[in-house]
Amino acid sequence: MVGNARDEDKLESGFDHEEEGHNNDNENKEKKGGEYGMSVEQMFEGRQVPSWRNQLTMRAFGVSFVLSILFCFIVMKLNLTTGIIPSLNVSAGLLGFFFVKTWTKLLEKSRLLRQPFTRQENTVIQTCVVASSGIAFSGGFGSYLFGMSERIAQQSGDNGGFKNPSLGWIIGFLFVVSFLGLFSVVPLRKIMIIDFKLTYPSGTATAHLINSFHTPQGAKLAKKQVKTLGKFFSFSFLWGFFQWFFTAGEDCGFANFPTFGLKAFENRFYFDFSATYVGVGMICPYIINISVLLGGILSWGLMWPLIAKREGDWYPAGLSSSNMHGLQGYRVFIAIAMILGDGLYNFIKVLAKTLTGLFYQFRGRQALPIANQHSPDTSEKLSYDDQRRTQLFLKDRIPTWFSITGYVTIASISTIVLPHIFHELKWYYILVIYIFAPTLAFCNAYGTGLTDWSLASTYGKLAIFTIGAWAGQNGGVLAGLIACGVMMNIVSTASDLMQDFKTGYLTLASPRSMFVSQVIGTAMGCVISPCVFWLFYKAFHDLGLPESQYPAPFATVYRNMSILGVQGFSALPKDCLLLCYVFFGAAILINCTKDMLGKKWGSFVPLPMAMAIPFYLGSYFAIDMCVGSLILFVWQKLNREKADAFSAAVASGLICGDGIWTLPSSILALVGVQPPICMKFLSRGTNVRLHNFLKP
């Protein structure tokens, strides 16, 4: 996943269920001997596996750089609009395959090709792109990092200090915190992948996808999928360009069309013609889209209108719509309560599974095996594929001393540098984080291998409350947000790296090439993501405001979590605490019910995390996503085989085209070019006056 990301993490795990299904189908074929009577590695037996250095080609990193820019724009737009980020692994793998395959075919025809395109090189591209675009999420541009800004601080109504974004310190911050997670789990790659045989469903699905591209039948299908992706990319890009012409003023354009009437529009129920979220809806499981819609109906259709009637009683009358002591406070803090309830439940559940799994794995073992130690010989029990994969996976080792030295060195530099960037974050806060971080990174990587749920943002929230409460009123709000960023980067990159090791294991890519490509991709992301964010920040002056095109909802949510950690319940409006208790408990109860009903019936129970997102934003994007679900549902009814083969390509084209349109639109905004037309729809008040005027 691009960004295996994310409480937002739990949503992303839901996005991967479709990939996991394809993965299970591929595994069944492999166990039966494959489609051609041979296993996967028998099909590739005649092809030489390049050395780890030859897997790291300049063309691979050139393609990775271009795709990283593309996906950083997409992830950044999603971050700053709703915070819902779907899996874009299929797009990254498909486009990487297409670009390099086209290039090598041209060279082959001109007889200049020196090195053929291999699945190992394809895996390097995939790893590099995922690492780079993952920084667009873990960098906190739509959450903790932007939550430190003056704009979000003013909306939150606190005086806990602020630090406005600046390109220099953002890049410096990311470089000193983004590499620690890579070194923290490298010594345990052997036990995770070979000894424990953890599934890592997303990594496994990606590997099967890459393996299939490099078979004759898979290459033909990939060519058709790329053609489909290109068509919908063009349509989405041109649709974004067309819409831009009608947005010359505020509340103009198709995005403000009152689809279901003006009263529904006032309560944020409308279809905003976003190709991005129609595509997201096609990728997401149905239950995610329905959960988001249910959350919007519950909040904007029922709760907020009822609470608004208590104005003057529950909160002072006449407050602005963004004042946290008014209705906005109920929206934000009740959403936080659901997010925390859901996160706590899943944290305990995944931690319990992790500890149980470790107990059974280590029962009878004396110590935790690491990468440089040998396991008992089990070659007689292994299939041909597993023998070959294990042999090559253990061939190119990464010394344990290198990992430990790297972690200690970067942690030392970070402990010295971070207090100079953020004066509120004391060196001993950072030291405590770095002492516990490897253990938490291991737990997250192990839990991801078992469940495909990366709880990076949950660990980040834990850091917010711990460090924020420790720092107290003396800069605790900012200290908590920064600590969240440090923790999120470590545990997120650790689980991403282990996913990549699993992908590399199944495609015979060397662990060394996986590690190097992850490092290079992370370095790319530390530069590309801040530059993309800076373009948004400078081009859209209303960035982060609730009614803007890019409201950055999680920036407000994360800052208010930090305020809650420092100030306690005194930060809440009247009776908000009681409602928070109710929704916190409801989130836990819904999750319990979902697990008790089992996989079959539990799949119909909504997800509290998904329900919480529209509490703050409204339901407009949920309607877009449900339209995407409806398109996919009808398509599958008409032709399921074709829908399964091409739906991901169609969705990716819609997301990528609309996402890339933000680049020229941002540049036009920067240079002062305005759209020529304002297509504005009449307000309810204007309609009433017009009706009275025309009445006989």
Side-chain angles (χ1 to χ4, degrees):
M1 284 203 154
V2 172
N4 227 342
R6 316 167 187 189
D7 272 347
E8 310 121 358
D9 298 330
K10 188 185 169 193
L11 289 181
E12 278 216 331
S13 71
F15 299 149
D16 283 330
H17 289 170
E18 185 178 344
E19 283 185 21
E20 191 176 340
H22 294 311
N23 166 38
N24 292 337
D25 292 341
N26 285 323
E27 283 185 340
N28 292 335
K29 285 178 184 175
E30 191 173 320
K31 289 174 184 176
K32 293 174 184 175
E35 293 179 84
Y36 309 99
M38 295 186 292
S39 68
V40 172
E41 296 309 328
Q42 286 173 336
M43 290 170 63
F44 289 100
E45 193 172 12
R47 304 186 193 182
Q48 184 179 1
V49 178
S51 67
W52 71 272
R53 287 187 176 87
N54 289 334
Q55 293 172 21
L56 303 167
T57 63
M58 288 302 296
R59 69 189 179 197
F61 291 120
V63 169
S64 298
F65 181 75
V66 173
L67 291 180
S68 293
I69 296 173
L70 168 67
F71 285 108
C72 277
F73 267 98
I74 294 166
V75 173
M76 195 66 68
K77 179 177 180 179
L78 295 169
N79 252 334
L80 296 174
T81 48
T82 65
I84 297 178
I85 305 168
S87 170
L88 297 173
N89 276 12
V90 173
S91 313
L94 197 59
L95 289 172
F97 174 80
F98 169 72
F99 281 130
V100 180
K101 195 69 175 176
T102 303
W103 175 248
T104 53
K105 275 194 173 182
L106 290 173
L107 290 178
E108 192 175 6
K109 287 180 180 178
S110 58
R111 298 183 179 180
L112 296 174
L113 182 64
R114 295 181 180 179
Q115 183 176 338
F117 181 43
T118 63
R119 55 188 174 136
Q120 290 79 27
E121 190 178 355
N122 205 159
T123 307
V124 165
I125 296 171
Q126 170 82 16
T127 299
C128 195
V129 173
V130 167
S132 179
S133 54
I135 298 295
F137 166 74
S138 61
F141 301 101
S143 55
Y144 65 85
L145 189 143
F146 191 42
M148 290 187 272
S149 67
E150 184 179 11
R151 191 173 300 169
I152 302 299
Q154 288 174 348
Q155 287 182 55
S156 300
D158 74 289
N159 52 5
F162 61 86
K163 188 173 182 67
N164 281 321
S166 171
L167 201 56
W169 74 254
I170 293 175
I171 293 175
F173 166 72
L174 291 176
F175 265 106
V176 296
V177 301
S178 297
F179 296 92
L180 279 158
L182 304 181
F183 290 93
S184 63
V185 293
V186 166
L188 301 176
R189 68 191 182 281
K190 174 178 169 287
I191 183 176
M192 298 281 214
I193 305 300
I194 295 175
D195 294 334
F196 287 179
K197 293 181 172 58
L198 295 177
T199 309
Y200 288 101
S202 293
T204 302
T206 303
H208 284 304
L209 184 74
I210 291 171
N211 283 335
S212 71
F213 286 162
H214 293 266
T215 62
Q217 288 74 16
K220 288 179 182 177
L221 177 61
K223 186 177 179 182
K224 292 178 182 177
Q225 289 172 328
V226 168
K227 191 175 180 181
T228 302
L229 190 151
K231 286 179 182 177
F232 283 89
F233 177 95
S234 302
F235 165 77
S236 181
F237 183 87
L238 292 173
W239 174 241
F241 180 48
F242 175 74
Q243 288 190 85
W244 175 80
F245 274 94
F246 303 95
T247 56
E250 289 186 11
D251 302 323
C252 296
F254 289 93
N256 292 287
F257 181 73
T259 323
F260 307 113
L262 290 165
K263 186 63 178 176
F265 182 80
E266 288 172 7
N267 286 287
R268 303 192 187 182
F269 281 93
Y270 57 94
F271 178 63
D272 73 345
F273 296 90
S274 169
T276 294
Y277 284 101
V278 172
V280 169
M282 293 180 70
I283 293 177
C284 296
Y286 296 128
I287 191 60
I288 295 245
N289 301 330
I290 297 300
S291 299
V292 174
L293 185 60
L294 283 175
I297 294 170
L298 175 64
S299 55
W300 289 87
L302 182 64
M303 288 173 54
W304 306 154
L306 290 174
I307 293 176
K309 292 179 180 179
R310 310 295 296 179
E311 184 179 10
D313 180 14
W314 284 17
Y315 59 93
L319 295 177
S320 68
S321 60
S322 62
N323 194 304
M324 283 293 165
H325 296 287
L327 183 57
Q328 184 77 339
Y330 291 92
R331 293 170 185 163
V332 171
F333 287 113
I334 292 174
I336 288 173
M338 286 197 77
I339 290 169
L340 292 177
D342 184 86
L344 178 65
Y345 178 87
N346 285 292
F347 174 75
I348 293 172
K349 185 175 81 170
V350 173
L351 184 63
K353 284 187 177 181
T354 301
L355 295 176
T356 304
L358 286 172
F359 172 76
Y360 285 116
Q361 291 283 359
F362 291 129
R363 192 169 58 179
R365 292 177 185 261
Q366 293 298 317
L368 184 70
I370 56 175
N372 294 342
Q373 295 177 346
H374 292 282
S375 298
D377 184 22
T378 56
S379 58
E380 293 182 1
K381 303 174 188 176
L382 297 177
S383 65
Y384 172 80
D385 283 9
D386 286 338
Q387 287 185 50
R388 182 154 173 75
R389 289 164 178 168
T390 302
Q391 178 190 5
L392 289 172
F393 189 76
L394 295 177
K395 179 183 174 184
D396 295 323
R397 295 177 178 173
I398 303 171
T400 302
W401 65 264
F402 173 77
S403 306
I404 296 172
T405 304
Y407 185 87
V408 172
T409 302
I410 297 174
S412 302
I413 294 170
S414 181
T415 306
I416 295 169
V417 171
L418 283 179
H420 287 85
I421 301 175
F422 309 102
H423 301 299
E424 296 82 2
L425 193 69
K426 307 302 181 185
W427 66 268
Y428 43 88
Y429 299 161
I430 306 167
L431 185 62
V432 169
I433 291 172
Y434 288 160
I435 289 171
F436 288 100
T439 303
L440 298 178
F442 167 74
C443 289
N444 192 48
Y446 187 91
T448 304
L450 287 175
T451 65
D452 208 29
W453 288 359
S454 172
L455 298 177
S457 61
T458 304
Y459 288 103
K461 294 179 184 75
L462 183 65
I464 285 180
F465 289 111
T466 306
I467 302 300
W470 186 2
Q473 297 289 343
N474 187 23
V477 174
L478 287 186
L481 290 169
I482 302 155
C484 169
V486 174
M487 184 63 75
M488 271 183 67
N489 274 281
I490 294 173
V491 297
S492 177
T493 53
S495 61
D496 286 350
L497 178 62
M498 207 53 70
Q499 288 269 22
D500 292 332
F501 278 144
K502 182 68 174 184
T503 304
Y505 171 78
L506 293 170
T507 58
L508 303 189
S510 167
R512 288 187 183 181
S513 66
M514 291 292 91
F515 182 79
V516 172
S517 60
Q518 183 88 14
V519 169
I520 292 174
T522 302
M524 285 182 186
C526 289
V527 176
I528 295 171
S529 292
C531 291
V532 171
F533 172 75
W534 194 246
L535 185 62
F536 276 87
Y537 186 68
K538 287 297 183 182
F540 303 102
H541 299 294
D542 59 353
L543 182 74
L545 299 179
E547 305 296 331
S548 71
Q549 183 182 357
Y550 299 105
F554 279 102
T556 305
V557 167
Y558 273 65
R559 184 169 186 102
N560 280 278
M561 283 184 188
S562 193
I563 293 168
L564 201 60
V566 173
Q567 298 180 8
F569 297 132
S570 61
L572 302 177
K574 181 185 176 183
D575 292 325
C576 188
L577 179 59
L578 177 61
L579 290 171
C580 287
Y581 282 143
V582 170
F583 280 89
F584 181 88
I588 294 174
L589 183 62
I590 291 170
N591 275 308
C592 284
T593 305
K594 189 177 184 70
D595 287 339
M596 287 171 63
L597 289 174
K599 194 169 184 179
K600 182 179 179 181
W601 297 108
S603 62
F604 295 99
V605 178
L607 297 168
M609 171 61 61
M611 292 177 68
I613 295 172
F615 274 44
Y616 175 70
L617 283 175
S619 297
Y620 60 92
F621 68 95
I623 292 166
D624 297 341
M625 291 168 68
C626 286
V627 168
S629 280
L630 180 62
I631 292 169
L632 180 62
F633 179 79
V634 173
W635 192 2
Q636 287 178 330
K637 288 295 180 183
L638 296 174
N639 190 336
R640 187 171 188 90
E641 185 178 349
K642 194 169 183 180
D644 290 344
F646 293 99
S647 61
V650 170
S652 299
L654 292 173
I655 295 168
C656 293
D658 197 31
I660 283 301
W661 165 246
T662 58
L663 174 59
S665 68
S666 301
I667 293 172
L668 289 171
L670 275 174
V671 298
V673 177
Q674 294 296 321
I677 303 167
C678 176
M679 185 174 69
K680 201 163 189 174
F681 303 98
L682 297 178
S683 69
R684 176 173 289 273
T686 307
N687 273 333
V688 169
R689 289 194 297 273
L690 183 63
H691 175 74
N692 292 335
F693 177 77
L694 296 175
K695 189 168 59 176

